[in-house]
């Protein structure tokens, strides 16, 4: 309980500061419940900058990456876990090895590649580089590795081809794992800051994290607006977690048992 309170306190302070004036945010000792709630802080973040556009961009990017990643990762996990072909284990080891490469070591060549492809300041540049990820393939491979071969053989006898077996039998059995990965992928792409900062130039393509930074000037930081925009930015991820919280626990538990 003590650890939970300590971890939850920054969120409480963020919500509290979002209703304060700029001069009361950093007062000491801090006051969690302000005497006057300034709801105009939330209206101001939408009036000063196109914050709604930033939220829309983040939603498009995070949702598209999540859906595409779940489809392609589940296909790769099924192929590596169920199908038999030469070099399967070597391919899996090669995919896992990419998890040891830090993003900061490939950010420059990745940016040069996207620039040559014409993806700078576009949804393609924000989305496509983040669809493949070894973590999702690894978890789904661990799930599909214990997929009952009897189901596959029965479906094949009934006339299903490998694609039908995957989409009609294998994929529906992995709903819990896919729900857990959906939360992870959506939150990680919703919170992404460095890559959108590098790949976007125009205001129309900025995401919500870049919008929050705009309330920080060279000499003055409008902390009350930063906190208000951060609270608004947390709402989609909190709602997604509340809706799928049982699935993420069940999916991780299943991955641990099956792994």
């Amino acid at each position: 309980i003590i650890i939970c309170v300590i971890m939850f306190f920054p969120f409480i302070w963020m919500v509290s500061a979002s209703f304060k004036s700029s001069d009361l945010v950093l007062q000491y000792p801090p006051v969690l419940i302000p005497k006057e709630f300034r709801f105009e802080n939330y209206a101001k973040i939408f009036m000063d900058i196109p914050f709604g556009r930033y939220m829309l961009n983040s939603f498009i990017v995070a949702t598209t990456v999540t859906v595409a990643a779940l489809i392609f990762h589940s296909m790769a996990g099924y192929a590596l876990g169920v199908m038999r072909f030469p070099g399967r284990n070597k391919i899996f080891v090669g995919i896992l090895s990419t998890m040891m490469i830090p993003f900061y070591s490939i950010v420059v060549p990745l940016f040069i590649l996207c620039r040559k492809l014409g993806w700078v300041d576009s949804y393609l540049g924000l989305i496509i580089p983040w669809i493949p990820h070894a973590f999702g393939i690894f978890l789904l491979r661990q799930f599909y590795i214990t997929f009952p071969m009897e189901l596959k053989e029965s479906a094949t006898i009934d006339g299903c081809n490998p694609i039908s077996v995957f989409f009609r039998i294998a994929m529906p059995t992995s709903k819990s794992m896919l729900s857990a990965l959906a939360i992870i992928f959506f939150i990680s792409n919703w919170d992404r800051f460095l890559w959108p900062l590098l790949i976007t130039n125009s205001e129309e393509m900025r995401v919500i994290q870049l919008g929050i930074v705009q309330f920080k000037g060279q000499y003055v930081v409008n902390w009350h607006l930063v906190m208000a925009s951060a609270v608004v930015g947390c709402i989609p991820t909190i709602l997604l977690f509340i809706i799928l919280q049982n699935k993420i626990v069940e999916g991780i538990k299943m991955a641990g048992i099956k792994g």
Side-chain angles (χ1 to χ4, degrees), residues 35 40 121 143 146 178 184 228 235:
K35 295 181 179 180
E40 59 268 23
D121 203 34
F143 178 86
T146 56
L178 293 177
I184 297 173
I235 293 176

Side-chain angles (χ1 to χ4, degrees), residues 64-82:
T64 305
V65 172
T66 300
V67 174
L70 292 181
I71 294 175
F72 290 114
H73 289 194
S74 58
M75 294 173 67
Y78 178 80
L80 294 171
V82 177

Side-chain angles (χ1 to χ4, degrees), residues 105-134:
S105 64
I106 64 171
V107 62
V108 173
L110 182 61
F111 176 80
I112 294 174
L113 177 62
C114 290
R115 186 183 61 182
K116 290 186 177 296
L117 292 174
W119 292 353
V120 175
D121 203 34
S122 67
Y123 284 119
L124 292 176
L126 289 170
I127 293 173
I128 293 181
W130 298 104
I131 293 178
H133 201 287

